[in-house]
């Protein structure tokens, strides 16, 4: 199932449509490689889900982390 989510990286926001069974970090890498997300110097291990207000692991799928349509995922840098 495809979901629509917003990715926040630093001060930028990107609306994407992605397979919920896709691994988060791999899905974002594919989007970056295809030019749909700008390249970023950081590799993010965690994102904050605005709907659930929790940290989610970038190494799991969107479905495993209960990320659904309309959620906003904000990249968490190690010093946050």
């Amino acid at each position: 199932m495809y979901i629509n989510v917003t990715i926040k990286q630093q001060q930028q926001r990107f609306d994407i449509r992605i397979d919920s069974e896709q691994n988060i970090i791999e899905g974002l890498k594919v989007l970056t490689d295809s030019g749909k997300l700008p390249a970023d110097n950081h590799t993010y291990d965690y994102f904050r889900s605005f709907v659930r207000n929790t940290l989610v692991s970038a190494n799991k799928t969107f479905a495993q982390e209960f990320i659904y349509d309309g959620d906003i995922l904000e990249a968490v840098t190690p010093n946050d």
Side-chain angles (χ1 to χ4, degrees):
M1 175 172 82
Y2 282 87
I3 58 172
N4 297 300
V5 296
T6 299
I7 303 296
K8 279 183 70 177
Q9 292 178 339
Q10 296 163 9
Q11 299 302 320
Q12 299 178 310
R13 296 170 76 105
F14 307 96
D15 295 326
I16 62 169
R17 184 168 194 254
I18 195 160
D19 185 346
S20 65
E21 295 300 323
Q22 177 77 46
N23 180 287
I24 295 171
I25 197 70
E26 290 301 319
L28 297 180
K29 182 181 179 334
V30 168
L31 290 171
T32 299
D33 291 348
S34 68
K36 295 183 178 169
L37 285 177
D40 194 341
N41 294 335
H42 300 290
T43 299
Y44 300 105
D45 293 322
Y46 294 96
F47 288 81
R48 177 166 304 282
S49 164
F50 275 64
V51 169
R52 293 183 35 235
N53 195 30
T54 59
L55 287 181
V56 296
S57 172
N59 296 309
K60 293 184 178 180
T61 68
F62 291 91
Q64 287 173 319
E65 288 291 1
F66 303 101
I67 305 301
Y68 301 111
D69 240 10
D71 205 345
I72 300 170
L73 297 180
E74 182 174 17
V76 176
T77 57
N79 57 358
D80 281 353

